[in-house]
Amino acid sequence: MTSKLATLANQTPTVKMLLDGKFIESQTSEWQDVVNPATQEVLAQVPFATDDEINAAVASASKAYKTWKNTPLATRARIMLKLQALVREHMSSIAHTLSAEQGKTLADAEGDVFRGLEVVEHACSIGTLQLGEFAENVAGGVDTYTLRQPIGVCGGISPFNFPAMIPLWMFPMAIVCGNTFVLKPSEQDPLTPMLLAELALQAGVPPGVLNIIHGGKRAVDAICTHPDIVAVSFVGSTAVGTHVYNLASQHGKRVQCMMGAKNHAVVMPDANKEQSLNALVGSTFGAAGQRCMATSVTVLVGDAQKWIPDIVAKAKTLKVNAGVEKGADLGPVVSKNAKNRVLGLVEDGIKEGAKLELDGRGIKVPGYEKGNFIGPTIFSGVTPEMKIYTTEIFGPVMVIVGVNTLNEAITLINNNPFGNGTGIFTQSGAAARKFQSEIDVGQVGINVPIPVPVPSFSFTGSRGSKLGDLGPYGKQAVQFYTQTKTITSRWFDDSSTSTGVNTTISLK
Ligand code: NAD
């Protein structure tokens, strides 16, 4: 694949915007470095789009909507079929770019692309996903039916931690439903979304149907307030998501915000120890803890509290290295700021009296001395008032809370404001069933550590992890990106007998 990054002699490449089907250099004076978190090498510079450029993206999407909304379902589905084939073909090169700008291991970067690819595969079924409903003879000779029609120009704002998967949660579902889209990816890793955009054009997405602008708060606020944007899909932190939800709602838009998390995994003493601890350690430290569905709180019930040394021993076996290096289990965190933030929270945990069982600070990775690495870090004796419990750490830090009973674990989790994901490890069907029934969290794993649903379902985080009714991808995304029109019809031919004037609301 030819990257559209223009490499001028001796200059850092610049990230282009996608406007009206063309990759365009921004005229802005505001640029930010895109940095490899393992090496600090500047990979590119990303522009913060000007107001004119943002308006041009929306204008292009508005113009394209006029024809795209009438494009036959089969044409839209075929473009998605082509896109899924292209993403699959270029999986490895996308994963290399993703790993370089985000820090993930190559295997995990492929996973990032793959989970997004699954959404594209699902979008190929739009012929059945966008079906309406029909009821014959709801009154004498009267039929009622619904259409699922596109809604217009939609905006998407994505986070740094899944630069392939989350843009792919957004634009394929939006455009396959007949909408046009303006995406604002994270300014920390915009190269991966631009590779996906290249593939989307190759797959046949017409000019203006997908536009990409770059930037930060100003671009986000412009998307939330632009009069020609009808819906906004946001994925990112709770602070920004709440702002986006309020601003876009006040401007009359349909909004969905998937936000921060504090995911608890409950380990019962009857759990299969080896399987459960492997799952816990993988889901806590994988992607250096920078997953919204990472296990961040381990709740050990009863005798399972004796397993702390085994957890520490397993965490010690993980290899911290640059994502491109063979055998790496976790790479660096995304930026120096992110590293300093995580280290500050570890300091807080120590000051607040939690027991530091494993200290990943100060880790040195040979050949990558400047990288933003933090090794697996484990606290035990954590209580719900501590900052390391109340705050989403978003780094490779496990906090362990001990409780005596499953009821105590459920109460602890239900008292936590977040509701993204949770899990239970047990061999007891009764315990698992009680947990799934009583837990107030939107996504539950039973002996499954990261219960991110496949796209024939939807991503269903809840409570403090979500604003808006409908989630991204799956059935709920089709509802989010369409509006229902209900038609009630009756036909008369010349032989119809007049029923007279009806002054009531009843259908006769
Ligand atoms: P972030 O909120 O900092 O950034 C998300 C987007 O908002 C980016 O595009 C960014 O440019 C923009 N932004 C940043 N600051 C802004 C501001 N002040 N005003 C307006 N826009 C702003 O999130 P992040 O650090 O990129 O991603 C990590 C967060 O995302 C974590 O909290 C994680 O839990 C969450 N997340 C949630 C889900 C989910 O499905 N619930 C999935 C992935 C990530």
Side-chain angles (χ1 to χ4, degrees):
M1 186 181 6
T2 332
S3 172
K4 290 285 185 294
L5 295 174
T7 314
L8 307 170
N10 300 323
Q11 279 188 2
T12 309
T14 54
V15 185
K16 303 294 179 274
M17 299 175 300
L18 174 58
L19 294 186
D20 215 23
K22 295 186 196 72
F23 291 96
I24 305 249
E25 180 89 18
S26 173
Q27 297 307 306
T28 188
S29 54
E30 220 184 317
W31 296 81
Q32 180 173 304
D33 290 344
V34 179
V35 178
N36 180 322
T39 61
Q40 308 306 331
E41 179 198 356
V42 176
L43 301 171
Q45 287 197 308
V46 62
F48 280 44
T50 64
D51 292 347
D52 284 350
E53 289 163 348
I54 297 168
N55 288 334
V58 181
S60 162
S62 299
K63 185 167 142 247
Y65 179 64
K66 292 194 176 83
T67 45
W68 179 248
K69 67 179 176 186
N70 295 322
T71 306
L73 274 172
T75 306
R76 288 184 251 144
R78 280 183 203 117
I79 290 174
M80 287 301 137
L81 281 165
K82 187 84 195 289
L83 179 60
Q84 74 80 26
L86 286 168
V87 172
R88 197 175 286 280
E89 183 187 335
H90 295 288
M91 175 94 78
S92 168
S93 62
I94 301 170
H96 273 84
T97 298
L98 197 161
S99 173
E101 65 176 344
Q102 203 275 353
K104 283 184 194 188
T105 64
L106 280 176
D108 197 31
E110 289 213 4
D112 189 329
V113 183
F114 184 76
R115 293 305 304 254
L117 177 63
E118 289 182 317
V119 177
V120 183
E121 290 169 346
H122 191 237
C124 298
S125 312
I126 194 63
T128 47
L129 291 172
Q130 208 171 342
L131 285 179
E133 293 175 315
F134 193 100
E136 192 183 26
N137 264 337
V138 294
V142 177
D143 302 327
T144 296
Y145 51 98
T146 58
L147 310 178
R148 285 216 157 271
Q149 295 192 314
I151 51 179
V153 180
C154 303
I157 300 150
S158 57
F160 82 85
N161 65 328
F162 283 102
M165 179 182 81
I166 292 177
L168 289 173
W169 280 5
M170 293 178 175
F171 77 80
M173 290 309 295
I175 68 180
V176 84
C177 288
N179 305 291
T180 55
F181 206 75
V182 177
L183 174 70
K184 206 276 327 152
S186 171
E187 66 279 29
Q188 297 193 78
D189 44 16
L191 303 178
T192 304
M194 293 315 290
L195 294 180
L196 297 171
E198 282 186 45
L199 298 181
L201 293 197
Q202 278 180 43
V205 171
V209 171
L210 172 64
N211 297 274
I212 303 188
I213 52 158
H214 302 287
K217 178 171 168 45
R218 192 166 45 76
V220 168
D221 288 359
I223 288 174
C224 294
T225 54
H226 198 293
D228 295 340
I229 289 185
V230 296
V232 176
S233 177
F234 169 88
V235 180
S237 64
T238 300
V240 179
T242 307
H243 163 75
V244 164
Y245 188 81
N246 291 334
L247 188 63
S249 306
Q250 281 158 13
H251 285 79
K253 300 182 198 326
R254 193 178 277 201
V255 198
Q256 58 174 208
C257 293
M258 305 300 124
M259 307 185 294
K262 197 77 181 173
N263 306 308
H264 298 62
V266 176
V267 185
M268 300 298 288
D270 70 350
N272 179 309
K273 185 174 168 188
E274 189 63 14
Q275 296 275 23
S276 306
L277 299 195
N278 283 343
L280 271 177
V281 167
S283 65
T284 304
F285 300 114
Q290 300 171 113
R291 292 183 183 131
C292 65
M293 288 289 279
T295 300
S296 42
V297 184
T298 294
V299 185
L300 299 178
V301 180
D303 278 353
Q305 290 172 64
K306 294 181 185 149
W307 296 351
I308 293 174
D310 306 277
I311 297 174
V312 172
K314 275 193 188 294
K316 280 184 175 165
T317 65
L318 296 179
K319 304 243 172 345
V320 182
N321 209 335
V324 288
E325 294 295 341
K326 273 214 167 73
D329 293 305
L330 58 146
V333 295
V334 71
S335 65
K336 282 189 174 153
N337 281 347
K339 178 173 176 176
N340 290 335
R341 187 182 158 277
V342 174
L343 295 182
L345 282 160
V346 173
E347 282 295 323
D348 289 333
I350 296 166
K351 280 190 207 133
E352 287 179 313
K355 184 174 175 204
L356 189 58
E357 302 270 1
L358 182 62
D359 187 355
R361 298 171 298 168
I363 189 167
K364 293 273 176 289
V365 176
Y368 296 95
E369 285 75 10
K370 293 183 187 160
N372 312 319
F373 295 99
I374 306 171
T377 298
I378 299 178
F379 280 110
S380 66
V382 176
T383 54
E385 326 72 60
M386 291 180 182
K387 207 167 166 193
I388 48 171
Y389 179 80
T390 56
T391 311
E392 181 182 35
I393 299 176
F394 228 56
V397 181
M398 177 187 283
V399 306
I400 300 179
V401 179
V403 296
N404 294 320
T405 63
L406 177 57
N407 277 334
E408 270 183 65
I410 292 172
T411 304
L412 174 82
I413 298 169
N414 287 350
N415 284 339
N416 188 285
F418 292 109
N420 219 33
T422 189
I424 185 167
F425 291 87
T426 181
Q427 294 192 46
S428 158
R433 193 167 184 284
K434 175 183 168 70
F435 186 76
Q436 76 175 29
S437 159
E438 294 181 17
I439 208 72
D440 190 6
V441 172
Q443 302 177 111
V444 180
I446 297 175
N447 298 311
V448 170
I450 306 180
V452 175
V454 294
S456 41
F457 296 84
S458 296
F459 192 91
T460 55
S462 65
R463 293 199 283 134
S465 297
K466 178 184 186 182
L467 284 167
D469 298 334
L470 299 170
Y473 73 76
K475 294 173 187 141
Q476 295 190 6
V478 178
Q479 288 175 276
F480 184 76
Y481 288 117
T482 59
Q483 56 195 334
T484 309
K485 188 181 279 178
T486 309
I487 291 130
T488 303
S489 76
R490 170 184 270 162
W491 295 92
F492 304 107
D493 61 21
D494 289 344
S495 66
S496 306
T497 322
S498 168
T499 49
V501 176
N502 176 12
T503 57
T504 74
I505 195 173
S506 311
L507 286 171
K508 290 195 174 150

